[in-house]
Amino acid sequence: MFKFSLRPISRAASSVPTNSLKIGSFGAMYSTKHSHNHKFIVTEVVGKVGLVKLNRPKALNALCNQLFVELNESLLALDNDPKIGAVVLTGSERAFAAGADIVEMKDSEFVKNYTSGFLSHWVHQFEKMRKPVIAAVNGFALGGGCELAMMCDIIYAGEKAVFGQPEIVIGTIPGAGGTQRLTKAVGKSKAMEMILTGSINMTAQEAYQFGLVSSVHPVDKVVDVAMETAKTISNRSMLSVQMAKESINNSFEVPLASGLKMERTMFHSTFATKDQKEGMNAFAEKRKPAYKNE
Ligand code: CAA
């Protein structure tokens, strides 16, 4: 049984309504706090891990503007909190997220979309996140919901999760990375099939076979698995974790030679940290390292 101490993130520390959230087989009802003015997400801190839950059940966590504003606020607070090492993002058992809010955007016009950079605020905070974000996906991950999962660094799926990019069915195309990240994750043929048909039929097992998700778990265990991985990552040197994340993400942007060069520079840089000395000395002395993220 894991023993985590709970504390709210700094933004959420005021006298706000409490709720309860059962975190799978951790087997306990933990007290959670709604963040300031947060209507559509619930954020809590479990040890060194931030847990963010999308909470718009009536609309299957459709990603309205306000939800993303709140999500970005929460992610920023967690990224800036030195006591946090990693973040888990999840939805409900029925839906991770059923996409962008169709009702909210249906009357929008090109000029407004273009001049306001519609959807760009979705990706800004994720692009800036230095800490790893792990998606624990149950139920529908559709359109922007699938794209949101793909913005995360690791994806775990519950066995009833369904992935799809159905935008074409409603006369549009993916607008938050689907044509790019899905193609890189599952290959051209599968991405074409999913995006051009708009079928909502990629099962968790298929997502695993195609490399979209790391592994598949029982519905009530997937958050636990994500939390456990996040806990493991949080106990590594945050400096090494962030340099490794940055190097991996760089592989999507640059040719191999440039990526290898950056990786080598990052590797060399770790030797300027106390954590590298601690990690290697701990190995030599046959003890666990105690990282200070210095
Ligand atoms: N936007 C707004 N509301 C949504 C929504 C969405 N993306 N998805 C579901 N909802 C709402 C429904 O309108 C419904 O609300 P009401 O109860 O008020 O009628 C509620 O959630 C429950 O949905 P359903 O009754 O439809 O539930 P279902 O089990 O019969 O079907 C579903 C579930 C297959 C997910 C279906 O809701 C659906 O197809 N949703 C739309 C999926 C979609 O097209 N997503 C892509 C959006 S576009 C996009 O994301 C662009 C981008 O790239 C960023």
Side-chain angles (χ1 to χ4, degrees):
M1 179 65 63
F2 307 112
K3 286 230 183 290
F4 291 115
S5 67
L6 284 180
R7 61 193 167 80
I9 60 170
S10 48
R11 293 187 58 83
S14 68
S15 57
V16 286
T18 55
N19 195 0
S20 63
L21 171 66
K22 188 166 189 285
I23 309 175
S25 65
F26 287 171
M29 297 295 283
Y30 294 106
S31 152
T32 64
K33 289 186 190 294
H34 289 280
S35 303
H36 278 309
N37 304 321
H38 283 180
K39 190 176 166 192
F40 297 128
I41 64 164
V42 178
T43 302
E44 72 175 290
V45 169
V46 183
K48 296 182 193 170
V49 178
L51 174 61
V52 182
K53 185 173 187 272
L54 307 181
N55 186 36
R56 199 187 171 205
K58 284 184 185 153
L60 302 182
N61 290 333
L63 303 165
C64 60
N65 185 60
Q66 180 60 25
L67 187 152
F68 241 95
V69 167
E70 294 176 10
L71 179 59
N72 283 341
E73 272 180 16
S74 182
L75 291 176
L76 181 65
L78 292 167
D79 211 30
N80 286 337
D81 185 339
K83 294 180 232 55
I84 294 294
V87 176
V88 170
L89 177 63
T90 193
S92 68
E93 291 196 356
R94 190 162 174 227
F96 179 72
D101 190 319
I102 300 167
V103 180
E104 189 178 71
M105 72 179 162
K106 70 183 176 48
D107 297 322
S108 200
E109 299 286 349
F110 165 75
V111 172
K112 185 177 163 215
N113 286 347
Y114 184 73
T115 52
S116 68
F118 179 47
L119 295 189
S120 56
H121 71 297
W122 280 30
V123 288
H124 280 167
Q125 187 51 40
F126 273 90
E127 281 169 358
K128 281 189 281 182
M129 284 295 285
R130 284 164 288 128
K131 292 169 187 171
V133 184
I134 303 174
V137 176
N138 273 316
F140 296 114
L142 305 177
C146 186
E147 291 168 310
L148 177 61
M150 291 191 292
M151 286 177 214
C152 298
D153 300 304
I154 298 170
I155 309 176
Y156 294 122
E159 56 201 357
K160 291 187 182 152
V162 184
F163 297 84
Q165 296 286 163
E167 291 89 344
I168 209 133
V169 177
I170 53 168
T172 185
I173 70 167
T179 63
Q180 306 301 298
R181 291 198 177 95
L182 187 66
T183 307
K184 288 187 165 74
V186 305
K188 176 181 162 181
S189 180
K190 194 68 191 169
M192 284 282 187
E193 183 188 61
M194 289 173 73
I195 292 170
L196 302 189
T197 66
S199 300
I200 300 174
N201 63 2
M202 181 180 259
T203 62
Q205 276 304 335
E206 205 182 354
Y208 173 66
Q209 283 157 14
F210 275 90
L212 180 60
V213 307
S214 295
S215 50
V216 180
H217 303 275
V219 170
D220 62 346
K221 295 283 188 296
V222 64
V223 176
D224 294 7
V225 172
M227 293 296 286
E228 187 59 15
T229 299
K231 184 186 166 202
T232 300
I233 292 170
S234 298
N235 287 325
R236 309 294 185 219
S237 161
M238 283 303 100
L239 296 165
S240 305
V241 165
Q242 289 171 27
M243 285 188 204
K245 169 174 164 163
E246 202 178 331
S247 300
I248 293 167
N249 281 337
N250 192 46
S251 75
F252 292 99
E253 310 295 336
V254 300
L256 179 63
S258 306
L260 290 172
K261 197 171 170 203
M262 182 209 180
E263 180 197 78
R264 188 67 46 81
T265 305
M266 288 286 197
F267 169 71
H268 290 165
S269 307
T270 62
F271 286 74
T273 69
K274 290 181 186 164
D275 284 354
Q276 173 269 329
K277 300 289 175 285
E278 170 63 11
M280 293 194 186
N281 281 322
F283 177 82
E285 292 161 16
K286 301 190 187 307
R287 59 174 174 81
K288 278 192 174 175
Y291 291 120
K292 291 184 179 161
N293 303 320
E294 292 173 356

